[in-house]
Amino acid sequence: MSKALGAHGTPGATTSSGMTGTAPTDPFAGTDATLNARVRRRRRSGWARTLGVAILAAAIAFAAGFAVGRTGPGGTAPEHAGTAADTVVVGLKLAPVNLDIRRQSGNAVMQLLIGNVYEGLVGRDSHNRVVPAIADSWDIAKDGLAYTFHLRQGLTFSNGDVLDATDVVWSIRQMIERQYYDYEQLDGVTGVEALDDHTVRLTLDTPNANLLWYLSARPGLVFDQDAHYDPKTQAVGSGPYLVSDFVPNDSVTLTANPNYTGRNPAKTHTVVVRYLTDANAAVNALTSGAVQVLSPIDEQLAAPLKNDPAYTIRAGNGSDKYVLAMNNRRAPFTDKRVRQAIRYAIDHKQIIAARGGADQPLGGPIPAVDPGYRDLTGLYPHDVAKAQELMRQAGYGPDHHLTTTLTYANTYGTELGDQLRSQLAAIWIDLKIDYVEFSTWLTDVHQNADYDLSLVDHAESHDFEQWADPTYYYGYDNPRVQELYRKAMAATDEKTTDRLLAQAARQVSEDAAADWLFAYRVTTATAQGVSGFAADLSQSFMPLWNLTYVRPAEGGAA
């Protein structure tokens, strides 16, 4: 904290007219963000109950540190080939409704701001691992009930205010007190205190192996308690960039932060993020040179570019899991043989191929980027004969079909439903499909568990808790899985947590509690000369500090 005035020259906590402590609905929010907001337990910790503009231009000397030349059309490329551009344009699809990351749900605002404009107590890398950020290092007590963070010295916010331990304490307390979005991830935190200007200690009432990872996102972000600005349209953070222009549903311009003293200084002076909702228009923007990075790009539209040396096409790993849920509390899905038969009957390779081939098979509830992942696709390989045998054992056959209904949100289109209906017909399942509005799905399926089969993209990372919760809409209740998860969260070393989660995930998959149709992968296209854009996890975490663009030499790709 500093006694210097905030971004608008006025001291005082961040405020904005017309705002409350509740998170508004985000029409662009990812499916899983909505799901998790509704399913998480709203338990306040004992401690929580007792608690009662960005700078628009960089300094001349700072800007001189970047390679700047006269720009070409659109101001995005230097005049001379082989020179690093001072501006890179990134094309995305889903735009944040506003910039208020503490109150705004959905991945779009996290993707834009975390690690770029705002920094957390800790960060994460493109492999989903926790790394130092505002804290250089940390110590964890042997019992897992205390975390001591040692802050990097010399840090400032983009308005020049000093960042110290009091800002960290204030930010985390505000998160819990005001119940900002994702505050429940700090359930169990019973105290936050500054031991000195550069040391912060968090205490817990129970160990939580996910705590560090949670602190790399919204719950761990550090704000300037003395700054006064409108967080819907402005931002004062400690990251390598500041927001110099925000046009809702159109674009955000990020400018290198001249006051940045952290680990990852910006390599490109200006990054413009454009939001392109039409898939064809997005590809045209890439091929015309209006954008140098496009994420995501439609897999079918990307196909012609894969053999063009002017572009690099890559599918990035993420945490999205397309889950075919089976109501474990409703017959006939109370019969494990029926659930197993469905898993054997589904041809995952065919489903993935029909989507363009970028997605990957996923045989269990944990994606490749999360602790506890193991390749479980071999548990239920495509085997129609085995599926038919299981259906016969359960009392079904050519003369006695099972009629059931698949209910899912119409936002996912009809192709997946059509494929499942065709594949399950081979094992005497007559699948009716009920396409509903997402709001209806939330009420009927997710909230009331009134369904037979359903499918949805569960995009959240570190979300295995849902399989250890018998009240969740899956209706899956296995005491062994619940105990393994409890022990995994109580473990104080990563290897033990990973091992226990892997055991729990295997049990869930063996029980055929659901089917995992595929792990959705985001396809990204970059122009020749672009480097430093991390394709993995880019839909929720998109660090831009390392992004550069060098226009190819004459005779190469434009």
Side-chain angles (χ1 to χ4, degrees), residues 423-436:
Q423 292 182 6
L424 296 183
I427 61 168
W428 313 302
I429 294 179
D430 296 332
L431 189 64
K432 298 180 180 179
I433 302 178
D434 187 10
Y435 304 104
V436 299

Side-chain angles (χ1 to χ4, degrees), residues 320-326 342-343 345-353 355 359-365 377 380 406 408 412 415-421 423-424 431 453-458 514-520:
D320 293 69
K321 306 162 290 292
Y322 271 65
V323 180
L324 177 66
M326 308 181 203
I342 289 174
R343 294 203 65 188
I346 293 175
D347 186 345
H348 300 91
K349 291 182 180 179
Q350 189 271 334
I351 290 174
I352 291 171
R355 290 172 51 83
D359 303 319
Q360 288 189 328
L362 181 65
T377 54
Y380 289 93
L406 170 66
Y408 71 96
Y412 293 105
E415 186 175 10
L416 277 174
D418 292 341
Q419 288 174 305
L420 290 171
R421 177 164 49 201
Q423 292 182 6
L424 296 183
L431 189 64
L453 298 171
S454 188
L455 70 84
V456 75
D457 173 16
H458 281 277
D515 186 78
W516 295 268
L517 299 176
F518 52 86
Y520 170 61

Side-chain angles (χ1 to χ4, degrees), residues 23 26 36 109 127 186 220 244 341 350 404 433 471 517:
D26 180 359
N36 284 294
V109 68
H127 301 291
L186 296 179
S244 56
Q350 189 271 334
T404 191
I433 302 178
T471 68
L517 299 176

Side-chain angles (χ1 to χ4, degrees), residues 256-538:
N257 176 5
N259 293 314
Y260 185 70
T261 54
R263 291 174 167 270
N264 303 313
K267 292 185 178 181
T268 297
H269 184 269
T270 303
V271 176
V272 178
V273 177
R274 291 182 54 192
Y275 294 99
L276 306 166
T277 57
D278 181 85
N280 288 292
V283 173
N284 288 339
L286 175 70
T287 56
S288 70
V291 304
Q292 288 76 54
V293 179
L294 184 59
S295 179
I297 181 173
D298 181 272
E299 182 66 18
Q300 305 291 345
L301 296 177
L305 304 180
K306 290 182 177 180
N307 295 322
D308 188 335
Y311 306 99
T312 298
I313 311 297
R314 180 189 167 191
N317 294 318
S319 57
D320 293 69
K321 306 162 290 292
Y322 271 65
V323 180
L324 177 66
M326 308 181 203
N327 194 336
N328 285 235
R329 286 191 292 259
R330 175 179 291 183
F333 305 106
T334 52
D335 189 331
K336 181 178 178 180
R337 295 169 298 185
V338 173
R339 303 196 306 268
Q340 289 177 313
I342 289 174
R343 294 203 65 188
Y344 279 122
I346 293 175
D347 186 345
H348 300 91
K349 291 182 180 179
Q350 189 271 334
I351 290 174
I352 291 171
R355 290 172 51 83
D359 303 319
Q360 288 189 328
L362 181 65
I366 297 180
V369 297
D370 279 1
Y373 170 77
R374 302 292 188 275
D375 183 358
L376 301 177
T377 54
L379 291 178
Y380 289 93
H382 181 50
D383 190 334
V384 174
K386 185 173 288 189
Q388 290 178 339
E389 177 59 27
L390 286 163
M391 288 295 286
R392 286 191 179 98
Q393 293 175 17
Y396 300 97
D399 300 322
H400 183 203
H401 288 205
L402 167 60
T403 299
T404 191
T405 301
L406 170 66
T407 303
Y408 71 96
N410 53 20
T411 53
Y412 293 105
T414 62
E415 186 175 10
L416 277 174
D418 292 341
Q419 288 174 305
L420 290 171
R421 177 164 49 201
S422 174
Q423 292 182 6
L424 296 183
I427 61 168
W428 313 302
I429 294 179
D430 296 332
L431 189 64
K432 298 180 180 179
I433 302 178
D434 187 10
Y435 304 104
V436 299
E437 295 295 327
F438 186 65
S439 58
T440 301
W441 184 91
L442 279 172
T443 300
D444 293 350
V445 177
H446 186 261
Q447 180 177 328
N448 297 327
D450 184 12
Y451 74 103
D452 299 332
L453 298 171
S454 188
L455 70 84
V456 75
D457 173 16
H458 281 277
E460 187 79 357
S461 178
H462 290 65
D463 64 353
F464 186 84
E465 179 184 7
Q466 59 195 221
W467 299 102
D469 180 0
T471 68
Y472 199 62
Y473 80 99
Y474 301 139
Y476 175 69
D477 188 356
N478 186 315
R480 179 173 184 265
V481 169
Q482 294 157 24
E483 180 63 11
L484 285 168
Y485 180 72
R486 185 193 66 78
K487 290 181 177 178
M489 292 300 98
T492 57
D493 66 283
E494 294 178 357
K495 289 184 178 180
T496 299
T497 296
D498 179 80
R499 175 176 56 82
L500 292 170
L501 286 175
Q503 292 176 18
R506 185 177 187 89
Q507 184 67 64
V508 171
S509 186
E510 288 177 346
D511 287 345
D515 186 78
W516 295 268
L517 299 176
F518 52 86
Y520 170 61
R521 303 179 78 208
V522 173
T523 301
T524 296
T526 57
Q528 183 182 354
V530 169
S531 65
F533 184 85
D536 290 340
L537 298 164
S538 62

Side-chain angles (χ1 to χ4, degrees), residues 218-237:
R218 284 183 175 95
L221 296 182
V222 178
F223 299 87
D224 182 358
Q225 62 181 307
D226 290 326
H228 184 84
Y229 62 101
D230 182 355
K232 285 188 173 182
T233 59
Q234 300 166 315
V236 175

